[in-house]
Amino acid sequence: MFRLFANSSKGAALRTAPKSQQVRNLSIHEYMSANLLSEAGIKVPKGSVATTPEEAYQAAKKLGTSDLVIKAQVLAGGRGKGHFDSGLQGGVKTIFSPEEARDLANKMIGHKIFTKQTGAHGKECNKVFIVERKYVRREYYFAILMDRATQGPVVVASSQGGVDIETVAAENPDAIVKLPVDIKKGLSLESAQGLADKLGFVGNAREEAADTFVKLYKLFLAKDATQIEINPLVETSDHQVMCMDAKFGFDDNASFRQKDVFSLRDPTQEDPREVQAEKWNLNYIGLDGRIGCLVNGAGLAMSTMDIIKLHGGEPANFLDVGGSATAQQICEAFKIISSDAGVSAALVNIFGGIMRCDVVAQGIIDAVKELDLKIPLVVRLQGTNVEQGKKLINESGIAIFPCDDLDKAADLVVKLSDITSLAQKAGVHASLSLA
């Protein structure tokens, strides 16, 4: 995805997060995107999705051609250069028969694929998309995004498609065309024709390209999309303009009025911790560190992560429980943190305004007892009902490290994490308590 406009409000909190996790909008599979495009009257190659090797065989047979492509359906980029745990290299393959479709589907479905965007854990492929192969004359790039500068949509396009657009932007920025769109007026046919001219479309392909641009923009608005990316958009050998691959993103705030779109969500492609967090109305993003964080308020969560890093530690997550969490939500938050086997210590940093410290304390106590939590837990409580909260913790008999000063709390949790990590590597259990 061509990341033209960064969301600076989240940047500080998420700078240690994998890029694939920074945008918290719904993404859908390629075959679903192709269906949306087709329904909008936009040309796409014919294709069928399959969940078993036999279904892949039947899908290829039904298309009635020997020029086919099989594509692994995972929510990650770089499939073509990825590899499977089955030993198969590449998640996008040209095939020439139904038998070949069945054979490759067997090596894709039920196996994990590893790409530059999946991380070391990879993503399991549960479906494949069998499509007719089109012979192309030229490849283009087309995307619609939201522009913070103009406070509206912007079209980003290039005559150099089918490749990493970020590389094109870095090496040949003049090849990138940007067209801001007045959201009140929309993308006019004249503007779309002008864009087609700049990209080099001629003849009938020019008119078809312009029509495709207008339809893509209407779809962008109608579905409350945050992005539509077509890479490549092509002119075929018979001068048709087609979308060969599509990525959609949708605004989560529009889920109440885009129920058909959000019914396409595939939780199996998401971090199960994030799925669980959403059920409990918690804001969670998994990171790669070893120190779990439980904080109320995004700003305080970001500063907590920063101070952990300042003391040499690495946060294992961003977790904002919000301003009105219940004891049950706090308990569920700890379940999510403790489900990460890499976490070796945790820091709770609560400033009680609307949130009451005694409610947080009760949630902590319930979680430690229910989960039999073994990792060191540093707790900083300030604000509403703080004394009641401290009293609950002190009388609970649970080994918790209280600390009123955030700087000292961060320093302590980093040291405790280091000790626990060393013990884990040595294969021993370390039971820590205050001297």
Side-chain angles (χ1 to χ4, degrees):
M1 172 61 197
F2 181 56
R3 298 186 182 280
L4 182 64
F5 310 104
N7 188 339
S8 59
S9 65
K10 292 184 180 180
L14 303 180
R15 56 176 164 262
T16 54
K19 287 184 178 180
S20 60
Q21 294 179 327
Q22 291 187 22
V23 179
R24 302 300 300 278
N25 296 313
L26 172 70
S27 295
I28 61 175
H29 286 293
E30 177 190 0
Y31 76 92
M32 297 174 177
S33 298
N35 289 340
L36 289 179
L37 292 172
S38 182
E39 290 169 3
I42 299 165
K43 291 182 179 179
V44 295
K46 294 178 182 178
S48 296
V49 68
T51 58
T52 67
E54 185 57 32
E55 286 183 8
Y57 172 85
Q58 294 298 333
K61 193 173 181 180
K62 185 178 179 181
L63 286 172
T65 176
S66 59
D67 286 323
L68 299 163
V69 179
I70 183 170
K71 301 181 179 183
Q73 295 299 283
V74 293
L75 295 180
R79 294 172 298 169
K81 296 181 180 179
H83 65 278
F84 288 86
D85 57 12
S86 64
L88 179 66
Q89 296 294 317
V92 179
K93 294 283 192 180
T94 302
I95 55 176
F96 303 96
S97 69
E99 290 77 15
E100 198 173 354
R102 179 167 52 198
D103 180 59
L104 287 176
N106 189 53
K107 296 176 182 178
M108 292 181 178
I109 296 173
H111 294 280
K112 283 189 175 182
I113 185 172
F114 302 86
T115 77
K116 62 182 180 180
Q117 290 189 9
T118 63
H121 298 294
K123 282 195 174 182
E124 185 165 333
C125 174
N126 297 313
K127 300 181 177 79
V128 293
F129 191 30
I130 313 295
V131 297
E132 60 180 351
R133 183 185 180 192
K134 290 291 183 179
Y135 292 89
V136 303
R137 296 182 70 245
R138 295 183 64 183
E139 294 184 324
Y140 305 85
Y141 176 89
F142 182 90
I144 306 174
L145 313 167
M146 295 303 294
D147 181 4
R148 291 172 62 88
T150 61
Q151 298 184 359
V154 63
V155 173
V156 180
S158 176
S159 59
Q160 298 182 24
V163 295
D164 182 359
I165 194 63
E166 289 165 329
T167 301
V168 175
E171 297 178 354
N172 186 14
D174 292 338
I176 304 292
V177 179
K178 302 171 190 173
L179 176 64
V181 180
D182 186 331
I183 199 166
K184 294 180 181 179
K185 296 179 181 179
L187 180 64
S188 67
L189 181 59
E190 292 75 15
S191 295
Q193 289 170 335
L195 179 61
D197 290 335
K198 290 180 180 179
L199 295 178
F201 285 99
V202 295
N204 291 336
R206 172 183 180 268
E207 298 305 316
E208 192 170 334
D211 181 63
T212 299
F213 298 158
V214 172
K215 287 177 178 177
L216 284 167
Y217 181 77
K218 289 179 178 178
L219 182 62
F220 178 84
L221 286 187
K223 298 298 184 181
D224 289 304
T226 54
Q227 75 166 54
I228 292 181
E229 183 184 45
I230 310 298
N231 191 22
L233 174 78
V234 305
E235 180 185 352
T236 65
S237 57
D238 56 353
H239 304 288
Q240 294 186 76
V241 175
M242 303 187 78
C243 297
M244 302 300 285
D245 194 358
K247 293 180 183 177
F248 279 66
F250 302 93
D251 188 345
D252 284 347
N253 293 313
S255 60
F256 72 97
R257 66 183 184 194
Q258 298 290 350
K259 297 187 185 300
D260 58 333
V261 170
F262 280 79
S263 67
L264 303 176
R265 181 181 180 183
D266 183 358
T268 67
Q269 293 289 302
E270 302 176 29
D271 186 329
R273 297 169 300 178
E274 293 185 21
V275 175
Q276 186 66 17
E278 186 177 350
K279 291 180 181 178
W280 290 95
N281 200 27
L282 303 169
N283 298 310
Y284 175 92
I285 298 176
L287 305 177
D288 297 327
R290 300 188 64 84
I291 299 174
C293 303
L294 190 154
V295 191
N296 67 316
L300 188 59
M302 290 187 286
S303 62
T304 301
M305 294 164 65
D306 284 342
I307 201 166
I308 286 173
K309 289 181 68 67
L310 184 66
H311 284 278
E314 290 291 340
N317 62 270
F318 170 96
L319 202 165
D320 169 20
V321 298
S324 56
T326 63
Q328 182 63 43
Q329 284 176 297
I330 299 295
C331 185
E332 293 299 325
F334 268 105
K335 289 181 182 179
I336 294 168
I337 291 174
S338 62
S339 69
D340 184 346
V343 172
S344 55
L347 172 60
V348 177
N349 185 18
I350 298 294
F351 183 83
I354 300 174
M355 170 70 75
R356 290 165 39 196
C357 290
D358 57 328
V359 172
V360 175
Q362 189 59 57
I364 293 171
I365 293 166
D366 293 345
V368 173
K369 289 181 177 179
E370 181 178 341
L371 301 173
D372 191 23
L373 208 62
K374 301 297 184 183
I375 60 172
L377 183 59
V378 178
V379 177
R380 176 182 181 262
L381 300 177
Q382 295 292 331
T384 305
N385 291 359
V386 64
E387 296 304 323
Q388 293 95 316
K390 289 180 178 179
K391 185 172 184 290
L392 283 171
I393 290 175
N394 291 335
E395 294 176 353
S396 68
I398 295 172
I400 291 175
F401 298 85
C403 192
D404 292 338
D405 184 275
L406 178 55
D407 188 63
K408 292 179 180 178
D411 182 56
L412 177 59
V413 77
V414 170
K415 291 176 179 176
L416 292 172
S417 174
D418 290 342
I419 294 170
T420 306
S421 296
L422 287 171
Q424 289 173 345
K425 288 178 181 178
V428 298
H429 173 66
S431 181
L432 305 175
S433 61
L434 289 171

